[in-house]
C-alpha cells in the first residue's frame, strides 16, 4: 500500500481543476482528455463548463470498466458537450483526433 495515496489523488484532481480553469480563462474551450481513468469529482467538463458552459470535452480511454462508469456519470451542460470514446492507438500526430471526428477544430 501507498500511505500517501489519498493526498496524491486529491492533489492530482486539484491540479486538473486549476489547469482546466486556467485554459478556459485563456480562451481554450475544447479539450481532449486521453487516458481518462475512472470518473470522479471535478471532471474536466464540469470544471470547464462552470466558467464557459459551451466548453466541449472528449474523453478517450481503452479500459472497458472506465467506459461503463463514465457513461453512467458523464453529463454535459445544455450548451456544452461531453463525449466519451473507446480509444485505440492510431499513431501520433496533431490530426489524430480530427481524423476520428473527436473534436471540431478550426
Amino acid at each position: 500500500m501507498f500511505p500517501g495515496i489519498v493526498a496524491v489523488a486529491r492533489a492530482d484532481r486539484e491540479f486538473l481543476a486549476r489547469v482546466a480553469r486556467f485554459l478556459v480563462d485563456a480562451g481554450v474551450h475544447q479539450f481532449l482528455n486521453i487516458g481518462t481513468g475512472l470518473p470522479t469529482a471535478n471532471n474536466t467538463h464540469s470544471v470547464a463548463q462552470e466558467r464557459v458552459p459551451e466548453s466541449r470535452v472528449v474523453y478517450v480511454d481503452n479500459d472497458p470498466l472506465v467506459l461503463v462508469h463514465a457513461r453512467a456519470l458523464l453529463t454535459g451542460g445544455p450548451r456544452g458537450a461531453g463525449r466519451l470514446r473507446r480509444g485505440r492507438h492510431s499513431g501520433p500526430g496533431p490530426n489524430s483526433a480530427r481524423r476520428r471526428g473527436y473534436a471540431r477544430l478550426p
Side-chain angles (χ1 to χ4, degrees), residues 10 45 102:
R10 284 188 181 134
H45 74 280
Y102 292 154

Side-chain angles (χ1 to χ4, degrees), residues 30-88:
Q30 291 187 90
F31 297 86
L32 178 61
N33 187 327
I34 300 173
T36 303
L38 288 170
T40 182
N42 293 326
N43 292 300
T44 307
H45 74 280
S46 59
V47 172
Q49 290 173 358
E50 284 176 4
R51 301 256 173 143
V52 176
E54 297 84 10
S55 295
R56 301 172 58 88
V57 180
V58 174
Y59 295 99
V60 179
D61 206 300
N62 64 355
D63 183 336
L65 186 61
V66 168
L67 298 173
V68 169
H69 285 283
R71 282 194 182 106
L73 297 174
L74 183 63
T75 59
R79 292 178 286 176
R83 294 178 62 188
L84 176 69
R85 293 286 183 253
R86 182 165 186 175
R88 62 178 195 242

